Amino acid sequence: KKYLLCKVVSGVFTVCANDQLLNSSESLRFALGCTGMDLEECKRQCIRDAETLANESINSPCTADFQAMQGFGAQLDIFTMGQLSDEGVPQASLLPLPNIKNMGGATLIKYGEPSHCAEIPTAEYCVIQGTLAQGAQAFSFALGNCLPKVCSEDELRSILETTVPQGLNALVQCDLVRPLGAAEGASKSIQNLLGWGGIPVYYPNKIKFTVGAALTLTLVLVLAALMTVGTWLEWQRESKSRRLEALRDVQANASGVYGAGMEAAVPLTLEINQQDLPPPSALEGFVNHWSLLRNGRSFMRVRKGDKNPFAVIDFLKTFSMAQVILGHSYFYIMSSAGFANMEQFNPPNGLLGQFWFQAIPGCFYGVDSFFVISGFLCAIGLDTKLFNNARNRTTAGFSAKYLQFVVFRWLRLIPTEMFCIALSTTLLPYLGTGVLWNMDRSDGTRCYEANGSAGCGQYWWTNLLFIQDADKYMGKCYGHTWYLANDFQLYMTAPFFG
């Protein structure tokens, strides 16, 4: 109660103890009922009236730690007057709340200052979040609060359960940030040198390290080792090849012309014991496939037009990919956190009302262009590599080639996709920190599961079979990979239309 009334008590005490204000404002003295009283009696009358209203003894402003807690929690100053910013963007004049406007419904997100809250010995940082459903509309919120430690998480949850309106699904979480203690010794000296103040804090991650995480980490280390060894072996081989070529050049340019008096000189002969490098062993050839040098050159390779008759498709793929990335970045932010300056986007005067900006919301057509490009290249490949051979047009030949066609396509797509799923579900939880990272959301997920990996522990096999685009499994695991499922299914049927 003292904490909740802290601002009121401090404000009342500031007014009632202000000699200049009470002496200069007759209207205030009249409102307090102390007209004609001396100053000290008027102060006492002011305090008594405030105590009656607040049902709390007011002998002094609330303690310094309570004031600090109030300051480090989410500040909702609903009485702040609005004004135009330097860019001419109108700010809300009645309710200047952050991130209140988006496509997915009203959202209020403000976390305060958790690291400063952790510096107060008597305080604990908690986040209260939830969703208030009113028919088809939903209002979601997440507010950080710096509260006294005597308020336990269970007590806060009990208060919410008894006071929240019907339809509000609220969640309370505390112990999201802890102090490490004041810096000492060399750490203190460095802190003072850099001008860093306060107490270092850390954000406890309660996710336990699993067997799956260990296996994925082992796979990552193996891949890193293969890339390191492959790159080193290729660099060594190329270095030897350059030295050998230099020796050949020196020997080829060696001259038998000597000056006067040099008739008895013995010419320098460069012996090259090995004219050519030996071919790489099978193991070396395998490791070489992981070389960063080899793959980097392949990735950056530019083929001339006469060797790449469909070079324009490279441009179309690049443009479509950029369009898809920009468009999804715009729409996903609008449907989650939202934009505080929506006025700069909404038509008719915002960007969405400009013709040139239509490429961004039109990003979904970029995905359609991928299907067109993939279908065209698939048809070209089938015509040149499959159906130009009469044997492959027979039932037996076609069956064998079709099986090979499907397996190769599956092997091209599935290793990378399953590696990303394994990385997201097992290792990603340990790669971040902070309040947002470790906090459970009202739907039971965490922020790093916004990539669609929340259900992958149960539905990963749908991606393995490329059926994650079916209605029953849509969005269960890596929902954005619906395109890969569509792509694979179309590839499976393409030969029958060739």
Side-chain angles (χ1 to χ4, degrees):
K1 184 178 180 181
K2 290 181 178 180
Y3 171 82
L4 295 176
L5 293 175
C6 177
K7 283 189 176 182
V8 176
V9 169
S10 296
V12 168
F13 188 86
T14 301
V15 172
C16 294
N18 192 316
D19 295 355
Q20 183 178 357
L21 180 63
L22 291 176
N23 281 329
S24 62
S25 177
E26 290 296 331
S27 59
L28 178 61
R29 293 172 69 92
F30 176 77
L32 294 174
C34 58
T35 303
M37 297 181 182
D38 61 28
L39 183 60
E40 294 302 322
E41 181 62 27
C42 187
K43 289 181 181 179
R44 288 191 289 271
Q45 178 67 30
C46 178
I47 294 293
R48 284 195 297 269
D49 290 345
E51 289 177 339
T52 301
L53 291 174
N55 194 25
E56 181 73 18
S57 176
I58 303 176
N59 299 316
S60 63
C62 60
T63 60
D65 57 344
F66 275 15
Q67 293 186 52
M69 292 178 201
Q70 295 275 2
F72 295 147
Q75 301 297 308
L76 305 180
D77 299 320
I78 63 173
F79 301 110
T80 301
M81 295 300 293
Q83 59 184 356
L84 290 177
S85 67
D86 295 337
E87 295 79 15
V89 179
Q91 305 295 317
S93 58
L94 177 62
L95 200 66
L97 302 178
N99 302 333
I100 195 69
K101 298 164 283 188
N102 63 23
M103 257 177 29
T107 301
L108 172 59
I109 301 175
K110 200 168 186 181
Y111 292 102
E113 301 182 49
S115 58
H116 289 315
C117 179
E119 297 178 14
I120 305 175
T122 58
E124 181 178 32
Y125 181 80
C126 300
V127 173
I128 301 176
Q129 59 176 321
T131 303
L132 177 60
Q134 295 293 338
Q137 299 296 322
F139 170 74
S140 58
F141 65 92
L143 300 174
N145 297 271
C146 191
L147 304 173
K149 281 186 177 179
V150 294
C151 303
S152 68
E153 186 172 336
D154 292 336
E155 288 175 333
L156 291 172
R157 191 176 294 109
S158 176
I159 293 173
L160 282 177
E161 290 175 353
T162 56
T163 59
V164 297
Q166 187 176 5
L168 177 62
N169 178 25
L171 176 66
V172 179
Q173 292 180 81
C174 300
D175 194 28
L176 294 170
V177 55
R178 300 175 187 173
L180 283 172
E184 299 178 355
S187 298
K188 181 65 175 178
S189 301
I190 296 174
Q191 188 181 74
N192 294 335
L193 179 64
L194 297 177
W196 294 346
I199 299 175
V201 299
Y202 76 101
Y203 303 91
N205 190 338
K206 301 176 183 179
I207 300 295
K208 295 182 179 180
F209 198 76
T210 63
V211 176
L215 293 176
T216 304
L217 180 60
T218 302
L219 177 60
V220 170
L221 294 176
V222 170
L223 294 177
L226 287 172
M227 288 188 290
T228 302
V229 174
T231 303
W232 181 80
L233 288 177
E234 185 170 14
W235 180 80
Q236 287 284 85
R237 188 174 182 85
E238 290 183 356
S239 298
K240 291 179 181 178
S241 178
R242 286 192 294 268
R243 289 196 297 268
L244 185 59
E245 189 65 29
L247 291 176
R248 288 200 189 101
D249 292 341
V250 171
Q251 188 177 46
N253 296 329
S255 175
V257 180
Y258 306 99
M262 297 292 293
E263 293 81 357
V266 179
L268 177 63
T269 302
L270 298 174
E271 296 291 341
I272 303 178
N273 298 325
Q274 189 174 2
Q275 295 295 329
D276 295 305
L277 288 174
S281 63
L283 179 60
E284 186 178 356
F286 168 76
V287 175
N288 187 49
H289 285 292
W290 303 90
S291 168
L292 295 177
L293 294 175
R294 173 178 177 173
N295 290 285
R297 290 164 184 161
S298 176
F299 180 75
M300 301 299 294
R301 179 186 60 185
V302 177
R303 293 178 294 175
K304 295 182 179 180
D306 56 344
K307 297 182 179 179
N308 185 15
F310 306 116
V312 67
I313 290 181
D314 293 335
F315 162 76
L316 292 176
K317 288 192 292 185
T318 303
F319 179 82
S320 298
M321 182 61 71
Q323 185 184 19
V324 168
I325 293 174
L326 288 173
H328 281 70
S329 299
Y330 172 73
F331 277 111
Y332 274 101
I333 292 177
M334 280 195 64
S335 61
S336 55
F339 292 100
N341 58 336
M342 279 292 291
E343 295 83 2
Q344 290 186 322
F345 292 95
N346 286 341
N349 299 319
L351 291 175
L352 286 172
Q354 306 297 320
F355 175 77
W356 65 270
F357 193 73
Q358 300 310 305
I360 304 302
C363 65
F364 301 101
Y365 296 107
V367 180
D368 296 341
S369 70
F370 290 155
F371 284 120
V372 175
I373 293 171
S374 296
F376 173 76
L377 295 177
C378 179
I380 293 295
L382 288 172
D383 184 61
T384 58
K385 298 179 181 180
L386 182 65
F387 294 121
N388 63 339
N389 190 329
R391 184 177 58 183
N392 294 334
R393 292 196 290 268
T394 65
T395 303
F398 175 80
S399 299
K401 284 294 183 180
Y402 177 74
L403 179 61
Q404 183 184 43
F405 175 81
V406 172
V407 170
F408 282 2
R409 186 64 182 175
W410 188 87
L411 290 175
R412 182 174 183 175
L413 298 176
I414 207 63
T416 303
E417 182 182 359
M418 299 309 294
F419 176 76
C420 291
I421 291 176
L423 200 66
S424 298
T425 55
T426 59
L427 285 187
L428 186 59
Y430 310 100
L431 300 182
T433 187
V435 171
L436 285 176
W437 192 264
N438 296 328
M439 182 178 67
D440 293 325
R441 299 192 292 190
S442 56
D443 59 357
T445 63
R446 295 197 171 188
C447 70
Y448 50 77
E449 293 177 320
N451 59 10
S453 61
C456 286
Q458 182 178 358
Y459 292 100
W460 59 269
W461 58 271
T462 61
N463 297 68
L464 197 66
L465 299 177
F466 287 113
I467 58 173
Q468 67 267 33
D469 60 334
D471 287 343
K472 185 177 179 179
Y473 306 116
M474 186 66 182
K476 299 295 186 181
C477 174
Y478 259 39
H480 56 280
T481 60
W482 64 267
Y483 173 84
L484 292 181
N486 280 188
D487 178 271
F488 184 76
Q489 292 157 11
L490 291 173
Y491 260 78
M492 290 179 65
T493 59
F496 297 100
F497 298 94

